[in-house]
Amino acid sequence: MVRNLLGAAAVVFGFSSLHAQNMDTRFYGYLDGYFESVEDQTSANGAVDENSSEFNVPNLSLVINSNINNDYRAYMNLTGQGAGNISVRNAWVEKSLAGDYLKFRIGKLYRPFGIYNEILDAVPTYIGIEAPELFDTDHLMLTRTTNLMLWGQKNLGVWSLRYVLKTGNDERESSQVPYGIDLQYNIGSNWKFGFSYYDTNGKAKPINDKADSPSEGGVHAWMSEDEYNVMGPYFQYKGSKWTVQAATYQADHNATRDDSGNVGESKADLICQSTTSANQRIKDRFGCVGNDAQNTNADYKIDTYYLRVGYNFDLESGGQITPYAQYDYYKNPEMVYDKSLGGDKEAGVSDDGDFVKWTVGTVYRPNYTVTFKLDYSQHMQDVVNESKDYGEIRFSYSYFWKF
């Protein structure tokens, strides 16, 4: 018996040792401390909404990345956002089907979409503290994650072309097959030109339609169903000194608001009942009669674009300082004000559902592992027929490690 166990152990040990020689597994992650102070702002009904300063741990990530001979790959990203419970952001496996020309990935994965969706968790690596507005969790244009991806890359001299086709559970109502496409053309390591497209390919529904929670994708929480697509080009130049990024996207929605017929059972009804969730423009569009929403048709478009510019100054100490400026525009005429109903305090407060945000700031990297960021933003929009603005200041301190 002992001999058999020893023999089995030797076989397993030999098998593991053989494969361990070809396996490369790495662990890394980072911790991000954060402070934000937002000035008081005008609410959707014209009253003043007082804001308080906030301390947080928005990012606490542990990443495991493993591959065997660049043929098989596994990836897992664990997060303790807010220094609370641990959750899984990503968990997927990948197999090369034809070298770099075609690979198959399945699990829970960030969809390739524009410059930022795949790197949002890597806050220390990019200029700015907040991502562009289309990735703000208060007004996402589509889900951040999907489940299956076929992708590849063709290299020829200094240029390369990456092509991606993906699908998953997303927000589909039942058996629909939503799909996304991302094409990216790179010239050396400096220039990047791309185009992203996503289509629900039929009916979609809110991932979370509870009255006290925001939506987690492109379908508003007060919709019973929606069909939409999102598309747009993006661009990046990243040299030793300058970083320039720009993108523009439009989402076209053909949606139906949820009106159960019984006041209070749908979020559309709750919006009509509320004195703070929407201004009169929103209530008129919902066809609010008393406390009941009677207009179920909701065809609308979301438009957004951004520009980000940064310049690196190398320090004699070996560190680096990068001043940056950012411009964001976002318009969503369907957005309401109350966050608990799935709205936001930016587009939701505006008469036309749009706002502009200017940001200036700086990144200081004393070394490879530590990043300090400080910036200031000014929001501008029309509220109750008057031009309003408010500012916010943010500070971020990130520590990166690997082993």
Side-chain angles (χ1 to χ4, degrees):
M1 179 67 175
V2 174
R3 181 180 299 173
N4 290 338
L5 288 174
L6 290 174
V11 171
V12 172
F13 180 79
F15 180 81
S16 300
S17 298
L18 176 64
H19 284 72
Q21 294 175 6
N22 302 320
M23 179 181 290
D24 180 17
T25 301
R26 302 187 181 187
F27 298 80
Y28 55 96
Y30 76 95
L31 176 65
D32 187 26
Y34 177 84
F35 171 78
E36 178 184 61
S37 179
V38 182
E39 294 178 354
D40 296 344
Q41 62 185 111
T42 305
S43 66
N45 62 2
V48 175
D49 188 1
E50 296 183 357
N51 294 309
S52 58
S53 58
E54 175 186 359
F55 293 91
N56 200 357
V57 181
N59 300 287
L60 193 168
S61 296
L62 174 63
V63 176
I64 305 171
N65 192 358
S66 180
N67 75 83
I68 301 175
N69 294 333
N70 294 320
D71 189 29
Y72 297 90
R73 187 181 172 198
Y75 183 91
M76 182 169 61
N77 179 6
L78 304 178
T79 181
Q81 190 172 19
N85 297 328
I86 300 296
S87 62
V88 180
R89 283 274 179 87
N90 297 141
W92 49 260
V93 292
E94 181 178 275
K95 172 69 172 73
S96 175
L97 302 179
D100 290 335
Y101 296 109
L102 185 61
K103 298 181 180 182
F104 170 81
R105 183 181 297 180
I106 190 169
K108 181 182 180 182
L109 51 107
Y110 287 149
R111 67 173 74 249
F113 192 92
I115 299 170
Y116 276 88
N117 196 55
E118 294 177 278
I119 64 170
L120 280 184
D121 288 349
V123 175
T125 66
Y126 55 78
I127 56 174
I129 297 176
E130 292 190 338
E133 290 299 325
L134 72 152
F135 300 114
D136 190 312
T137 54
D138 287 339
H139 41 244
L140 292 172
M141 294 184 77
L142 69 168
T143 60
R144 282 203 61 201
T145 61
T146 190
N147 303 106
L148 185 148
M149 187 168 88
L150 290 172
W151 73 285
Q153 183 168 300
K154 180 177 177 59
N155 299 308
L156 185 61
V158 297
W159 68 267
S160 65
L161 175 66
R162 188 185 77 165
Y163 37 90
V164 182
L165 176 66
K166 61 260 186 182
T167 187
N169 296 326
D170 300 354
E171 301 166 285
R172 61 182 183 177
E173 182 193 50
S174 56
S175 60
Q176 293 83 7
V177 183
Y179 65 93
I181 298 170
D182 188 84
L183 299 174
Q184 188 179 108
Y185 177 73
N186 298 280
I187 304 176
S189 59
N190 300 126
W191 299 89
K192 180 181 297 183
F193 303 87
F195 181 84
S196 296
Y197 178 83
Y198 176 77
D199 199 308
T200 60
N201 195 27
K203 293 181 180 179
K205 63 180 182 180
I207 295 177
N208 190 346
D209 60 358
K210 295 180 181 179
D212 59 350
S213 302
S215 176
E216 297 177 13
V219 182
H220 284 310
W222 53 87
M223 300 299 182
S224 60
E225 63 182 50
D226 194 353
E227 296 184 35
Y228 72 91
N229 61 66
V230 189
M231 68 179 75
Y234 58 91
F235 158 81
Q236 175 177 276
Y237 171 78
K238 193 169 186 179
S240 61
K241 295 295 184 181
W242 286 98
T243 296
V244 181
Q245 300 170 332
T248 178
Y249 300 98
Q250 183 176 87
D252 191 354
H253 288 257
N254 181 5
T256 302
R257 300 187 188 98
D258 177 21
D259 182 13
S260 61
N262 297 315
V263 173
E265 290 190 5
S266 73
K267 276 198 174 182
D269 287 339
L270 292 175
I271 290 167
C272 288
Q273 294 175 45
S274 176
T275 59
T276 60
S277 66
N279 55 28
Q280 194 58 47
R281 169 189 59 85
I282 294 284
K283 292 189 176 185
D284 289 343
R285 193 174 62 252
F286 277 41
C288 295
V289 178
N291 291 331
D292 191 10
Q294 297 188 352
N295 184 7
T296 60
N297 180 59
D299 294 345
Y300 65 99
K301 296 181 187 294
I302 301 174
D303 292 285
T304 186
Y305 53 86
Y306 68 83
L307 173 66
R308 297 189 162 201
V309 179
Y311 186 84
N312 298 327
F313 290 94
D314 296 325
L315 305 177
E316 292 183 1
S317 61
Q320 189 178 78
I321 290 180
T322 306
Y324 59 85
Q326 301 170 351
Y327 176 86
D328 286 88
Y329 173 82
Y330 180 89
K331 181 175 183 178
N332 183 346
E334 184 67 16
M335 185 62 71
V336 301
Y337 181 70
D338 195 335
K339 283 192 173 186
S340 68
L341 297 178
D344 71 15
K345 290 188 175 183
E346 295 173 299
V349 74
S350 169
D351 290 345
D352 298 319
D354 64 347
F355 68 92
V356 167
K357 183 173 77 173
W358 284 95
T359 302
V360 292
T362 188
V363 181
Y364 170 52
R365 295 185 174 94
N367 53 56
Y368 176 74
T369 62
V370 174
T371 304
F372 296 93
K373 298 182 183 182
L374 178 68
D375 68 25
Y376 174 82
S377 294
Q378 188 76 13
H379 292 253
M380 293 173 284
Q381 63 263 103
D382 291 334
V383 184
V384 195
N385 297 319
E386 291 186 17
S387 179
K388 300 290 184 179
D389 60 75
Y390 66 94
E392 58 182 322
I393 188 169
R394 292 174 294 266
F395 171 76
S396 171
Y397 170 33
S398 302
Y399 183 89
F400 171 82
W401 70 87
K402 65 178 180 178
F403 55 92

